[in-house]
Structures are given as structure tokens and as C-alpha cells.
Amino acid sequence: MSGYHSAQVDVPVRLNTNESPFPPPDAWLDAVADIARSIQWNRYPDRAVTELRETIARRHNVSPANVFVANGSNEVIQTILLAYGGAGRCVATFEPTYQMYSQIARVTGAEVVQGERKADLTLDALEIERVLTRHKPSVSFLCNPNNPTGIIEPRENLETMLAHTTGVVVVDEAYAEFSEWSAIDLVSEDKPLAVTRTFSKTLSMAGLRVGYVVAPKQMIADLEIAVLPYHLDSFKQAATIAALGFVSEMEQRVDLIKSERARVFAAISDMDCDVWPSGSNFILFRPRSTVASAVWQRMVDSGVLVRDFSTTPRLTGCLRVTVGTPDENSAFLGALSTALSTN
Ligand code: PMP
């Protein structure tokens, strides 16, 4: 096997990992300084993550028993796959999608069944039905909006998944704030549905590593068996509770990202590129008559880093740009235009 690849190159404009371009508010940094002094560093953290789960539960109007928190939504996904994946079971993904689902599933020893999106990268409900009825996966992933395409899934696709699953359905909502609908209100005790969220994107805290899942109580209890004791450190628990006091401030930034997304989309569309409409904070595009890897390299040379998917199966020739600050986006558009016109 090979590991997860996303270049970490030290250039001025980094638009390759879909982070928020804005730092968290100063008031949160002040709170964090106080937290650092008040933590009982010689003691293990609250293993049940009580107060943080209560705070997240209030945000979504569910019980704390419906919430599991981990070190980024990647660790949430890993814990779900430790609980329900493993040898002798199979896990369904619909490609192209976020690569960590199949990567982690294989690490747990599960077989991965890859459903296919259509040539335009949308997902047909009939394909979902085919994969779930034929393979009976114990876990099926739906990424909404999908990474790396940015496409918003029709609700019908989730309904089809829930109608045909004999296992659990995980909706990954890492980018939900930029989208048009969320599945979080559908979570209930009688449905095998889990919805994951992250602090890494809208909430500007990719460096803190926090994500969570809202799911039926039985599923949360299963995850608690699979995860390591004390996996969420005391500092992180307190810093995340403090961060939740700034949610509305950070959500206001979503509007700016969305209007920049429209500007960047329109500008790429005017260039010699195919481009996919996005419900997220990134845009997938494909240079039509210039080799994508050369375009990527020329942009890096001019100080702009985007994500290179040009050799990824089903995404041949594609690049993905994260929507950044207005200045970063202008730098990107300038670099792309130059890269496309260089022979
Ligand atoms: N899901 C999706 C779809 C993502 O794009 C990412 C980040 N690249 C993650 C999950 C993981 O995010 P984190 O672990 O930072 O919460």
C-alpha cells in the first residue's frame, strides 16, 4: 500500500487542502491562553468528553449520547471503520471521492467495493442500488458535497442508500456549511445513519484536529468501544468548547467564500478549462489543451499551490483549487492564466 499524498510545499499561496484562509478570532486565542494555564496537565482528560459533547449536542439539538468527538473527522472515519469494517466485511465508496475512506477501510482489513460515478462525475441512484444490493457493505460512504468534485448530492441518493443498506451509511459533511442541504436533521434512533463534521474548514481550526459524528446512540456506544481511552486531550476539549462560542462569527465568513467561489468559477470558465460547479470551498477543473501536471508545476513556480489530481484514476488531467482570500484567488487566477498560455 502507499500512504496519503498531498504535497506540503512552502509557497506564498497554498490552495491545496481546503482549509479556511482565515485564522480563528483573536478572542479565541486569548481564551486558549487562559485554558493552557488552567488545565490539570498531570491528570488524564475526561474520557467521556462530557462537556464538549454537551456543547456540540446543543448545536444540533440532539442528545450528548448521539455525539462522538475525535482528532479530526479522519479519526472519526477511522473509528467507524474499526467498529464496522475489518476482515471479512466490505465497505462501499462511490468514486472518485475522498480517498481516506478506502485507504482506512483497507488498513482495517476490509474489502473495498468501488461504485462508479458517471462521466460527468455525478452519481446515479441506480449505481447506489446496484452496489448496495449486490455487495451488502457493512459501511457505505456518501461525501456531501463530494470531495474532490465539489458536487452536491441529490437527497434522493441518500434516500436510496438508506433504503438499500444492510449496514451503516456515513454521510461526510466536511464541507456542509458551503452547501445547500445537510443530513444531520435526518439522524434518528431508527436509521443506521451517521453524519460527520469537522472543525478544519469553516471553523478555521485545521491545526487543532477536531471532528465529530452525530449518530444513533447504539452507534456512538460502538465507537466508544473501538477508540483508544483518553484519545481526546484535555487542552483540545477545552479549546474546542471555547471555539464553539465563535461559531456564528466564523459562519459569517462562509458568505465571502461563496461569493469568491462564484468569481473564481466564472473566471476559470472563461479560460481553456472544463470546470465543475461546486457546493463547497474548492473547485475542480481540467485544462483542455495544456498538460495538467505542467500547469500545476508552472503555478507552483509562480508561488501558487493547488491539488494535482491529474494522474488519479477517473480524474485524469484534473486540478483542484481551494477558494482562498480575495487576494489569494486573484493570485491563483493570474498564475493559471499565465500557466495555460505558456508553451
Ligand atoms: N472528509 C473530507 C471529505 C475531507 O475533505 C477531509 C479533509 N481533507 C476530511 C474528511 C478530514 O478532515 P479532518 O480530519 O481535518 O477533520
Side-chain angles (χ1 to χ4, degrees):
M1 292 182 70
S2 59
Y4 178 77
H5 293 293
S6 181
Q8 288 200 305
V9 185
D10 194 10
V11 291
V13 181
R14 288 192 293 167
L15 300 175
N16 67 327
T17 43
N18 303 341
E19 295 137 316
S20 169
F22 309 110
D26 285 346
W28 179 72
L29 296 179
D30 294 341
V32 162
D34 292 340
I35 288 166
R37 272 181 233 102
S38 66
I39 293 291
Q40 285 198 298
W41 291 100
N42 56 319
R43 297 290 177 191
Y44 280 113
D46 172 17
R47 208 172 77 202
V49 193
T50 317
E51 200 183 334
L52 176 55
R53 286 169 67 191
E54 282 167 6
T55 318
I56 293 173
R58 271 198 299 279
R59 184 178 180 207
H60 296 296
N61 211 10
V62 295
S63 153
N66 293 115
V67 177
F68 171 83
V69 194
N71 296 284
S73 47
N74 277 341
E75 195 186 40
V76 173
I77 294 163
Q78 181 186 55
T79 312
I80 292 171
L81 288 167
L82 286 173
Y84 302 121
R89 294 182 178 170
C90 94
V91 171
T93 64
F94 292 88
E95 303 293 331
T97 191
Y98 184 49
Q99 291 163 15
M100 291 311 292
Y101 310 142
S102 47
Q103 170 83 8
I104 302 173
R106 290 193 182 106
V107 168
T108 71
E111 185 200 340
V112 176
V113 186
Q114 298 189 320
E116 297 289 335
R117 283 167 199 267
K118 294 191 289 190
D120 66 1
L121 299 179
T122 60
L123 176 56
D124 192 335
L126 284 174
E127 174 68 351
I128 298 178
E129 187 178 336
R130 184 189 70 79
V131 169
L132 268 60
T133 356
R134 183 181 299 177
H135 299 281
K136 306 212 173 342
S138 55
V139 186
S140 304
F141 284 97
L142 191 66
C143 187
N144 184 36
N146 187 41
N147 181 10
T149 61
I151 295 171
I152 300 175
E153 289 300 338
R155 282 173 193 268
E156 184 203 352
N157 282 356
L158 176 57
E159 285 158 14
T160 305
M161 233 179 215
L162 287 169
H164 294 281
T165 186
T166 46
V168 302
V169 170
V170 179
V171 179
D172 180 343
E173 293 196 347
Y175 304 96
E177 292 88 346
F178 306 101
S179 180
E180 285 163 11
W181 70 280
S182 163
I184 230 158
D185 295 339
L186 301 178
V187 172
S188 72
E189 297 305 319
D190 60 358
K191 271 199 242 43
L193 169 67
V195 180
T196 66
R197 290 282 182 101
T198 179
F199 279 70
S200 301
K201 315 294 176 184
T202 308
L203 297 175
S204 295
M205 293 185 189
L208 189 65
R209 310 299 302 123
V210 194
Y212 61 92
V213 62
V214 177
K217 295 184 177 107
Q218 180 59 54
M219 267 166 89
I220 302 296
D222 292 343
L223 302 186
E224 275 159 6
I225 295 170
V227 79
L228 292 175
Y230 311 114
H231 70 292
L232 216 61
D233 68 73
S234 308
F235 175 78
K236 180 174 306 191
Q237 293 188 34
T240 308
I241 292 165
L244 284 165
F246 299 97
V247 166
S248 56
E249 189 168 326
M250 289 193 263
E251 281 178 349
Q252 281 164 22
R253 299 157 161 193
V254 169
D255 288 337
L256 175 59
I257 298 287
K258 283 185 181 169
S259 72
E260 280 294 294
R261 178 177 75 195
R263 177 172 79 93
V264 173
F265 178 85
I268 303 177
S269 310
D270 284 343
M271 296 187 207
D272 186 23
C273 292
D274 297 324
V275 58
W276 281 265
S278 169
S280 196
N281 68 339
F282 54 82
I283 297 174
L284 187 75
F285 62 99
R286 183 167 49 205
R288 285 198 200 104
S289 36
T290 322
V291 176
S293 55
V295 172
W296 182 85
Q297 188 60 55
R298 283 173 202 148
M299 285 199 283
V300 171
D301 295 344
S302 59
V304 178
L305 178 63
V306 299
R307 185 71 182 268
D308 183 3
F309 282 102
S310 61
T311 56
T312 303
R314 306 172 185 87
L315 292 171
T316 310
C318 287
L319 303 173
R320 187 196 68 193
V321 62
T322 305
V323 179
T325 61
D327 284 351
E328 287 174 330
N329 300 332
S330 298
F332 157 73
L333 291 170
L336 177 61
S337 163
T338 311
L340 290 172
S341 57
T342 313
N343 289 312

